[in-house]
């Protein structure tokens, strides 16, 4: 075999090998195309969306606080105080104005009153005699039985005795006032809230022995968020509930605070309530004031996210791409989160929004019923 023949055989073999390699590549390319497409479909995330629509929502302002007497009076001894000798009411009793609540020891003051009463009577008797002597002197003055100087002395004596009567009367009135202070009475009609008086106890001046709810009027005092306070007005109906009590109590807004606490950002609201045995001052209470009824989107809690910028939801647009939509939450109700601003209700909202979803990312949609 010549050298030229050998070269032709080697060239033919190389050509056949190249053709075989090209065929394999083409075959592999065709067979791998469906797999690539399948992998691409698998990489596209599938998300569940819902169209919230609009549903009737009752807007309300909720707040917490405690029950209190509308007008609370602290009652205790005036003046010097003293030892308690009698207590005549209990906590929860209804009392009338002037009713005796407790009595302090009267032994010392009563003795002073009796002594001053006797001194006053003696001064009055002396005044009567002095005035009679002066009248006789005046009547006998024309006859010369009494000199002018004697008559003047008798007149001065009568005036002095009259002054002594006034002093004795003033001293007696002061002692009688101290005696009256030993009897502590209700300054107004109302309900006794607390009783801190016991027989034998020494009551000091200024010490509160009783707390009285004037007129028995009760109210709830609550704290309202700063942004909710402008939505409330005096006279709006309110519903109050106590912890552990199924019954609710109806009332009306009586007063709104004039200031906002700069630390807590809360304002005060007071709800006037009808007296009830369960409405005990100091009890924890929850209040709710219905503002109005509107139609708004309501989303599950899992659909609402928040970050340092704002509260937002993720929606899927017509191109099946994820978009971020900033929203404002109105309140939470048993059905979900009420959206006040940001949604019209016809958007496809991702029902379980997750951080791995990126804005602009294409997704496959599964709608929830």
């Amino acid at each position: 075999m010549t050298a030229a023949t050998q070269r032709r055989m080697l060239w033919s073999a190389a050509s056949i090998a190249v053709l075989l390699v090209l065929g394999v590549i083409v075959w592999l390319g065709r067979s791998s195309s469906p797999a690539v497409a399948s992998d691409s479909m698998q990489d596209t995330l599938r998300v569940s969306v819902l169209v919230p629509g609009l549903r009737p929502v009752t807007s309300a302002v909720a707040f917490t606080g405690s029950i209190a007497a509308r007008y609370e009076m602290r009652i205790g001894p005036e003046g010097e105080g003293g030892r308690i000798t009698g207590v005549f009411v209990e906590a929860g009793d209804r009392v009338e104005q002037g009713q005796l609540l407790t009595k302090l020891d009267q032994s010392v003051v009563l003795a002073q009153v009796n002594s001053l009463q006797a001194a006053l009577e003696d001064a009055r008797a002396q005044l009567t005699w002095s005035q009679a002597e002066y009248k006789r002197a005046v009547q006998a003055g024309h006859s010369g039985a009494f000199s002018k100087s004697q008559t003047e002395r008798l007149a001065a004596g009568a005036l002095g005795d009259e002054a002594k009567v006034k002093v004795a009367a003033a001293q007696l009135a002061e002692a009688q006032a101290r005696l009256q202070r030993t009897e502590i009475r209700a300054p107004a009609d109302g309900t006794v809230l607390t009783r801190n008086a016991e027989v034998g106890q020494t009551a000091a001046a200024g010490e509160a022995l009783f707390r009285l709810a004037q007129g028995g009027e009760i109210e709830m005092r609550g704290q309202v968020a700063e942004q909710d306070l402008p939505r409330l007005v005096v006279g709006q109906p309110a519903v109050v509930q106590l912890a552990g009590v199924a019954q609710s109590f109806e009332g009306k807004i009586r007063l709104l605070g004039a200031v906002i606490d700069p630390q807590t950002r809360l304002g005060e609201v007071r709800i006037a309530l009808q007296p009830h045995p369960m409405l005990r001052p100091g009890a924890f209470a929850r209040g709710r004031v219905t503002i109005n009824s509107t139609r708004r989107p309501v989303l599950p809690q899992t659909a609402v996210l928040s970050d340092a910028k704002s509260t937002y939801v993720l929606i899927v647009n017509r191109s099946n791409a994820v978009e971020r939509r900033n929203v404002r939450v109105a309140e939470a109700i048993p059905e979900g989160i009420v959206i006040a601003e940001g949604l019209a209700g016809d958007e496809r909202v991702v029902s379980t929004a997750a951080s791995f979803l990126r804005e602009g990312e294409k997704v496959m949609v599964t709608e929830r019923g």
Side-chain angles (χ1 to χ4, degrees), residues 48-118:
S48 296
V49 299
L50 58 87
V51 179
L54 299 176
R55 67 170 68 182
V57 176
T58 299
S59 179
V61 173
F63 47 89
T64 59
S66 60
I67 304 299
R70 179 172 178 177
Y71 301 112
E72 181 177 313
M73 309 178 72
R74 298 169 63 86
I75 306 170
E78 300 178 18
E80 300 175 355
R83 182 173 57 85
I84 297 175
T85 58
V87 179
F88 308 101
V89 295
E90 294 290 343
D93 287 353
R94 179 80 181 179
V95 297
E96 297 179 355
Q97 183 176 5
Q99 182 174 336
L100 182 62
L101 305 179
T102 186
K103 183 183 289 186
L104 305 181
D105 180 42
Q106 299 179 335
S107 57
V108 175
V109 180
L110 187 59
Q112 293 176 345
V113 169
N114 293 335
S115 175
L116 291 172
Q117 181 69 50

Side-chain angles (χ1 to χ4, degrees), residues 250-279:
E250 295 183 356
K252 289 185 178 181
I253 296 180
R254 182 183 73 82
L255 181 144
L256 293 172
V259 298
I260 302 294
D261 190 313
Q263 303 298 325
T264 63
R265 313 311 306 175
L266 298 175
E268 186 181 29
V269 59
R270 297 192 180 188
I271 309 298
L273 299 168
Q274 293 297 322
H276 191 280
M278 290 186 181
L279 295 174

Side-chain angles (χ1 to χ4, degrees), residues 19 24 35 54 65 96 106 116-117 132 164 197 221 226 238 245 259 279 306 346-347 363:
L19 291 174
V24 170
L54 299 176
E96 297 179 355
Q106 299 179 335
L116 291 172
Q117 181 69 50
K164 290 179 182 178
R221 299 178 182 177
E226 178 181 8
V245 179
V259 298
L279 295 174
S306 62
D346 56 355
E347 299 88 348
V363 294

Side-chain angles (χ1 to χ4, degrees), residues 141-173:
H142 301 291
S143 63
F146 290 90
S147 65
K148 183 178 180 181
S149 60
Q150 289 177 322
T151 303
E152 290 177 350
R153 283 197 299 272
L154 291 174
L159 291 175
D161 290 339
E162 185 177 359
K164 290 179 182 178
V165 169
K166 292 180 179 179
V167 171
Q171 292 175 341
L172 177 61

